């Protein structure tokens, strides 16, 4: 694979460019890259959509997005004007070959103008129903052919189930080589997620105890306080398992459980991650109810405000059976992790937003302190906070000051805000830059996507056959359904709010 370290001339084509993703994420990220001097000197952003727009109208709309969502955007009119000159609108039907022929001509024109061959990046920011078709048109128009110069970016959802994911992967593979396909999982672009590998494999400290001998259990959490917002139409057909677990949570599981990579090559890392998915013990249909809990929020209170239940949300069916919460207990059948439970949970409209991975270490093999010293004793725990707090917290036992031997839990913290002066880039900045560099390390490969679907299919099948009778089963603003406790082995717990809030409390104190 040719990597583009010098950032050669690039044409960025965004299909569905008049939509929310382009406005909210893609163009703010490209603008921020330009402010960071991380865009090629010669680049063009061609936005393709069906609606009637002029270059000027599109630029005004995108400027508004940059003002709201970019790190550098607000008030930078001159910088925006300079950047906006690179943005062009092309009206076109995604299902007509002439749209693609026009793109080909435009690329050829730019090549002539810049006097150099251009990298062509095709970003599908369209509804998923077009994901299978656009690659075919690109193929027919001859725009996919050049392996080192043409790339396609696919947003999630990559399929609705195993079968449709396979069909989509096949449609992509019929026109592009796997090395040209960039499947986005924006979690992988988050600094704190990338730091999992740095923390594990750039330090000799924890890796020797990162296994079944020392780890009691692992909890992977991605909780949201927001509801489905304006995405009820999509979400009601997806649900939390498809929306968050199949992709983001499975990717976190891979990063936390994988074996050390031999090199930082994209495929080496992706092979190690795929090994984790292959090691997950399959969930049999008859054990789905013991290993997985689903939930849906009813009305409740968040931050002192009354919020509606899921069934009252816009474009959600009033008797919807879609889950907005899911918790799972998984095991990995390999040498490193045999017998260690991995608890995963995610949901919407919970008490507060908090994504983190907690490694709970085993108890000491022999408790030599007197019983009265250990009344508040807790196992050591390492928490990798992903968002909104960004950092790492190590909880361990220390002697409480005083004449008596009394142990209590204390924390050591690494906080991004304190350690690094600059704010972290948005995940899309990192990912778009990697696409331009032709570096697929942070992108999902076809086999990973299919392996994740394969694992979850029994759950989806059993749920479809036995709709829930107790929805809504948690109130908005709570920590999810009570049943999620039932997944935990004795002595294990989901991290409680005060533990998750460690970094927040510190920030609040400092302010
Ligand atoms: C998206 C899901 O992939 O991730 C959304 O479709 C979810 O439902 C979002 O809200 C969460 O991402 P983040 O970066 O806000 O945690």
């Amino acid at each position: 694979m040719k990597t583009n370290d010098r950032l050669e001339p690039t044409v960025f084509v965004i299909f569905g460019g008049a939509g929310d993703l382009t406005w909210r994420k893609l163009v703010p990220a490209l603008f921020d890259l330009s402010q960071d001097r991380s865009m090629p000197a010669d680049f063009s952003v061609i936005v393709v959509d069906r609606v009637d727009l002029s270059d000027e109208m599109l630029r005004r709309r995108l400027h508004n997005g940059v003002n709201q969502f970019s790190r550098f955007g607000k008030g930078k009119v001159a910088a925006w004007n300079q950047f906006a000159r690179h943005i062009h609108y092309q009206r076109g039907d995604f299902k007509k070959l002439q749209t693609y022929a026009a793109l080909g001509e435009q690329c050829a024109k730019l090549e002539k103008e810049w006097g150099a061959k251009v990298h062509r990046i095709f970003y599908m920011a369209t509804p998923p129903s077009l994901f299978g078709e656009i690659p075919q048109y690109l193929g027919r128009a001859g725009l996919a052919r050049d392996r080192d110069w043409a790339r396609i970016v696919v947003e999630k959802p990559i399929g609705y189930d195993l079968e449709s994911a396979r069909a989509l992967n096949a449609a992509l593979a019929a026109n592009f080589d796997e090395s040209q396909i960039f499947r986005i999982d924006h979690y992988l672009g988050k600094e704190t997620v990338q730091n999992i590998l740095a923390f594990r494999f750039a330090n000799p400290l924890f890796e020797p105890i990162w296994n079944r001998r020392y780890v009691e259990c692992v909890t992977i959490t991605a909780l949201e306080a927001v509801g489905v917002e304006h995405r009820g139409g999509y979400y009601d057909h997806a649900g939390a398992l498809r929306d968050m677990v199949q992709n983001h949570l499975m990717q976190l599981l891979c990063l936390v459980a994988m074996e050390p990579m031999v090199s930082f090559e994209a495929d080496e890392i992706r092979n190690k991650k795929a090994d984790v998915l292959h090691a997950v013990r399959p969930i049999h249909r008859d054990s789905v109810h013991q290993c997985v809990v689903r939930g849906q929020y009813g009305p409740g209170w968040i931050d002192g405000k009354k919020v509606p239940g899921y069934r009252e949300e816009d474009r959600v069916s009033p008797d919807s059976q879609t889950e907005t919460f899911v918790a799972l207990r998984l095991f990995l059948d390999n040498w490193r992790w045999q017998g260690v439970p991995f608890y995963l949970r995610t949901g919407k409209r919970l008490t507060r937003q908090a994504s983190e991975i907690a490694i709970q270490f085993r108890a000491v093999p022999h408790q030599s302190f007197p019983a009265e010293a250990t009344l508040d004793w807790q196992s050591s725990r390492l928490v990798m906070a992903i968002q909104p707090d960004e950092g790492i917290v190590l909880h361990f036992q220390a002697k409480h000051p005083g004449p008596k031997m009394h142990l209590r839990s204390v924390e050591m913290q690494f906080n991004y805000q304190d350690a690094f002066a600059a704010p972290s880039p948005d995940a899309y900045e990192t990912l778009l830059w990697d696409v331009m560099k032709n570096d697929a390390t942070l992108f999902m490969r076809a086999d990973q996507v299919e392996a994740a679907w394969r694992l979850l299919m029994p759950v989806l099948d059993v749920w479809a056959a036995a709709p829930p009778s107790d929805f809504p089963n948690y109130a908005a603003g709570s920590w999810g359904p009570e049943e999620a406790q039932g997944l935990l082995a004795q002595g294990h717990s989901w991290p409680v709010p005060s533990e998750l809030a460690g970094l927040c409390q510190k920030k609040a104190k400092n302010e």
Side-chain angles (χ1 to χ4, degrees), residues 156 186-187 190 224 231 243-244 248 348 387:
K156 67 172 265 271
H186 78 279
Y187 258 60
K190 291 182 192 281
E224 295 182 276
R231 294 162 72 233
D243 187 50
M244 291 290 289
H248 308 322
K348 292 205 182 277
Q387 64 184 25

Side-chain angles (χ1 to χ4, degrees), residues 160-201:
Y160 182 76
D161 52 19
L162 178 59
E163 199 185 324
S164 53
R166 277 187 181 141
L168 174 55
N169 282 336
L172 287 162
N175 297 284
F176 289 86
D177 185 72
E178 181 63 31
S179 64
Q180 296 173 275
I181 305 169
F182 288 70
R183 295 176 192 79
I184 289 235
D185 182 317
H186 78 279
Y187 258 60
L188 296 178
K190 291 182 192 281
E191 282 296 326
T192 41
V193 173
Q194 292 178 71
N195 193 44
I196 298 171
L197 290 190
F199 180 75
R200 287 191 57 196
F201 303 131

